[in-house]
Amino acid sequence: MIIISPMKDCDVVVIGGGPAGSTTATLLAERGHKVVLLEKETHPRFHIGESLLPANVPLFEKLGVGEEMRAIGMEKWGATFVSPWHDHIAGFQFAEGTDPSIPMAYQVRRSEFDEILFRRARGVVMEARENCRVREVELGDKDNPARVTATDRDGTAHEWRPKFIVDATGRDTFIANKMKIKRRNPAHNSSAMFGHFANAVRDCGKDEGNIIIFWFDHGWFWFIPLKDGITSVGAVVWPYYMKARDKPLREYFLETVAMCKALQERLKDAELVSEPEATGNYSYVADLCQGDNFILVGDAYTFVDPVFSSGVMLAMNSGFAGADVIDARLKSDKAAEAKARQRFNHVMRVGPQEFSWFIYRVTNPTMRDLFMAPSERLGIKSAVISVLAGDLFGGTRFKRGLYLFRALYYIFSIAHLRRTFVAWRRRAFNIRDDSEMRLTRG
Ligand SMILES: Cc1cc2nc3c(=O)[nH]c(=O)nc-3n(C[C@H](O)[C@H](O)[C@H](O)COP(=O)(O)OP(=O)(O)OC[C@H]3O[C@@H](n4cnc5c(N)ncnc54)[C@H](O)[C@@H]3O)c2cc1C
C-alpha cells in the first residue's frame, strides 16, 4: 500500500546527502532557513573518493567537524609519483605549497566521512531523511510553486513545496538529466576499477599516509592508505582497456595490478578484502549550474577525473558558495544575490578548469617528466603544489609560478615535437568512447 503524507512547505529541499548536499544543508539551516535534506541511501554507505585535499581542512573547521575528521582520518602530508619510465621516485609535501597554513589533508573511509557530515546536517535542519529517493521535481514558475516528490523505501510518498531546490545528487545528476543539459566531456574519458587491500606495504613515518600514484601503460593507479590499516587501490584506465575485459572483474583487476611491478611489490603479501567495483564515463558537465530557484552543487554539475583527489573539496566548496546564493535569495537581498551568483559561477567553473589542465596532460610524457623532476626555481614547484592542494579560492598568490610551469610544459613539448605528436594522437584515440554510463559490481 502506498501511503502519501501531506504536502509540506519549506524554504529549501536539498536532494542528496553526500558532501555537497550535507554542507549546503548545514550552512543554510544555521542561517535560520527551513531545510529538508533527502538521501536515497542509509549512512554509513560505501562511496569512492577517499583522498582529500588540504583545502578541505579549513572547511571542516568552519562546519565544526574538525575534531571528528581528525579522529577518522589518516594524515596525508604529500603525494608520491612512481613511473616505470624513470629510475627514481618523486613526490612533494603540501607544506612546500605557497600557503604553508594548509600543510596536510586526510585519507578517509567515505562511509564514515559522509556520515559525519550528514549527522552534522541532521542536527540543524528541519527534516533529514535517509532511504528517501527523490522521484520527481517540478521547478515551478512565477504562477506555480516548485514541488519535490520522494518515496521512502517502504513506499511512503512525501511532497514538499520549497522556495529553492539544491541538486546534490552527485553522478546521478538528477536535474541535469531532467533538463537534458548534461554533456559528455569531449576532452576527457577514463574508467576505474578499485578495491580495498589488507597488508599492503606502506611507507613509514610521516609519509605513511601519502597518496601514491603509479603510472602504467593503460593509465595510472592510486594507492590510498586508510587509518584502519586497509589500503584503497584503484586503476584508472582508458575506456578501451575496460572494454577489453573478458573475465570476472576481480580477476581482471588483480591482473591489471600485476602489470605494475612497483605496485605489485607493495601488494605481494596483501589480500583483496572487498569485492572490486568498476565505473566508467564519469567525465561530464552540465550546461548551467544555477537557475532562478535551483542550483547544482558538486558532482551534480560536473566531474572530470579523480587523479588529483579534487572531487570532495570542490563539492564542499560549491556548498559554501551555493549557500550564499540561497541565503541572499531567501532574504530578498538582490544586490547580495547577484554578487553571490557571480561568485558561485566562478567557483563552479574555475576549480574544475584549473585541475583539468593538469588532468588532461597527466599521462603525457612531458608532464610525467616535469612531475618526476619538478623545477624548484621561480616558485614553480610551490605554485603547482598549491593547485594540487586545492588552494584555489583562498586568494593565495601563485599564478606567476603556474604560468611559468605551463610555459615550461609547452617549451618541452615543442622541443620533443615527435614525442608530443605521438602522445597527442594516442590520447585522441584513447578518449574516443561513447559507451553508456555504467557501474558494475562483481
Ligand atoms: C573512481 C573515482 C575515484 C574518486 N576518487 C576521489 C578522491 O580520491 N578524492 C576526492 O576528493 N574525490 C574523488 N572522487 C570524486 C568524489 O567521489 C566526488 O567528487 C564526491 O563524492 C562528490 O560529492 P557530491 O556530494 O557532489 O556527490 P556524492 O558524494 O555522490 O553524493 C551524492 C548523494 O546523493 C544521493 N542521491 C543521488 N540521487 C538521489 C535521489 N534521487 N534522491 C535522494 N538522494 C540521491 C546519493 O545516494 C549520494 O549519497 C572520485 C570519483 C571517482 C569516480
Side-chain angles (χ1 to χ4, degrees):
M1 186 177 68
I2 296 177
I3 303 163
I4 302 178
S5 58
M7 168 94 80
K8 289 172 269 187
D9 286 314
C10 63
D11 293 326
V12 186
V13 168
V14 178
I15 314 169
S22 295
T23 300
T24 318
T26 300
L27 294 171
L28 286 169
E30 292 214 314
R31 292 183 211 178
H33 303 297
K34 289 183 195 154
V35 179
V36 174
L37 173 61
L38 306 174
E39 166 56 48
K40 70 177 181 183
E41 309 277 352
T42 309
H43 289 292
R45 52 99 178 92
F46 177 82
H47 200 295
I48 197 58
E50 297 146 323
S51 190
L52 306 181
L53 295 183
N56 274 122
V57 177
L59 306 183
F60 302 149
E61 301 304 333
K62 283 183 190 164
L63 284 175
V65 293
E67 205 50 57
E68 286 169 276
M69 293 308 174
R70 273 188 282 285
I72 62 156
M74 174 85 194
E75 291 185 5
K76 169 189 175 185
W77 290 89
T80 305
F81 297 98
V82 182
S83 156
W85 300 281
H86 296 79
D87 55 12
H88 63 287
I89 62 167
F92 63 81
Q93 299 283 318
F94 289 114
E96 301 170 89
T98 316
D99 179 357
S101 74
I102 45 170
M104 53 83 68
Y106 300 107
Q107 319 280 22
V108 294
R109 271 190 190 266
R110 283 289 299 277
S111 50
E112 297 173 332
F113 176 83
D114 288 23
E115 185 178 23
I116 290 171
L117 292 176
F118 189 84
R119 302 278 169 250
R120 170 75 177 92
R122 161 159 274 169
V124 286
V125 296
M126 183 178 95
E127 190 175 354
R129 287 186 171 273
E130 292 166 89
N131 268 323
C132 185
R133 178 191 282 264
V134 171
R135 304 274 176 192
E136 190 52 52
V137 167
E138 285 169 33
L139 294 170
D141 52 36
K142 65 179 180 359
D143 301 317
N144 302 295
R147 183 191 286 244
V148 174
T149 311
T151 46
D152 288 343
R153 208 159 272 173
D154 67 5
T156 308
H158 304 267
E159 277 192 313
W160 290 270
R161 230 174 352 216
K163 295 175 188 150
F164 211 99
I165 297 170
V166 177
D167 183 351
T169 56
R171 293 191 289 134
D172 282 21
T173 56
F174 191 93
I175 287 184
N177 285 351
K178 179 182 162 65
M179 296 177 75
K180 299 191 170 53
I181 55 169
K182 181 176 175 179
R183 312 269 169 247
R184 180 175 106 70
N185 181 349
H188 195 63
N189 200 357
S190 56
S191 317
M193 299 177 262
F194 42 86
H196 282 169
F197 287 84
N199 294 324
V201 178
R202 300 165 166 206
D203 288 340
C204 295
K206 208 173 167 185
D207 289 341
E208 184 182 353
N210 278 12
I211 185 168
I212 309 179
I213 303 291
F214 299 85
W215 280 288
F216 83 122
D217 280 338
H218 303 287
W220 56 274
F221 291 93
W222 75 67
F223 181 96
I224 299 176
L226 301 173
K227 191 163 191 166
D228 54 10
I230 294 296
T231 302
S232 169
V233 173
V236 177
V237 296
W238 300 113
Y240 74 80
Y241 183 78
M242 200 65 116
K243 272 188 167 175
R245 173 157 82 92
D246 54 357
K247 43 181 69 87
L249 184 61
R250 189 181 180 91
E251 243 178 88
Y252 200 56
F253 178 52
L254 290 171
E255 221 171 67
T256 307
V257 165
M259 288 179 187
C260 178
K261 261 194 179 159
L263 175 60
Q264 180 65 9
E265 194 53 34
R266 285 180 181 263
L267 298 179
K268 69 176 190 297
D269 296 323
E271 186 193 351
L272 181 58
V273 291
S274 71
E275 217 30 67
E277 294 194 18
T279 182
N281 287 10
Y282 41 63
S283 203
Y284 59 83
V285 63
D287 291 341
L288 49 85
C289 60
Q290 54 181 316
D292 186 45
N293 64 346
F294 70 91
I295 57 172
L296 317 181
V297 288
D299 284 8
Y301 169 61
T302 187
F303 184 67
V304 186
D305 189 274
V307 63
F308 296 119
S309 312
S310 54
V312 172
M313 187 280 293
L314 292 174
M316 290 184 68
N317 245 299
S318 69
F320 274 81
D324 288 342
V325 171
I326 302 166
D327 184 49
R329 168 63 176 257
L330 294 175
K331 288 176 177 158
S332 302
D333 183 340
K334 290 227 174 327
E337 184 183 342
K339 212 168 141 195
R341 282 189 184 273
Q342 213 174 11
R343 179 164 155 70
F344 182 66
N345 254 329
H346 175 82
V347 165
M348 297 308 284
R349 287 170 209 280
V350 165
Q353 258 167 29
E354 291 286 6
F355 281 106
S356 292
W357 189 86
F358 287 94
I359 289 168
Y360 298 163
R361 292 164 180 82
V362 74
T363 49
N364 179 292
T366 302
M367 185 64 101
R368 256 193 322 249
D369 286 352
L370 290 173
F371 268 53
M372 294 307 288
S375 170
E376 308 270 355
R377 291 194 199 146
L378 303 168
I380 292 178
K381 186 174 176 186
S382 60
V384 173
I385 294 173
S386 293
V387 175
L388 303 188
D391 188 14
L392 303 173
F393 310 112
T396 309
R397 288 168 182 258
F398 54 77
K399 282 279 178 220
R400 196 182 74 125
L402 201 57
Y403 290 140
L404 287 170
F405 179 81
R406 291 184 183 184
L408 267 186
Y409 171 83
Y410 291 118
I411 291 167
F412 280 119
S413 295
I414 291 167
H416 299 93
L417 209 51
R418 196 181 134 67
R419 183 177 85 166
T420 302
F421 180 68
V422 170
W424 175 79
R425 274 228 337 228
R426 181 74 206 163
R427 185 180 149 76
F429 174 80
N430 286 343
I431 64 172
R432 247 182 1 156
D433 187 335
D434 54 2
S435 57
E436 290 301 302
M437 297 251 171
R438 65 201 164 106
L439 177 72
T440 332
R441 235 177 222 274

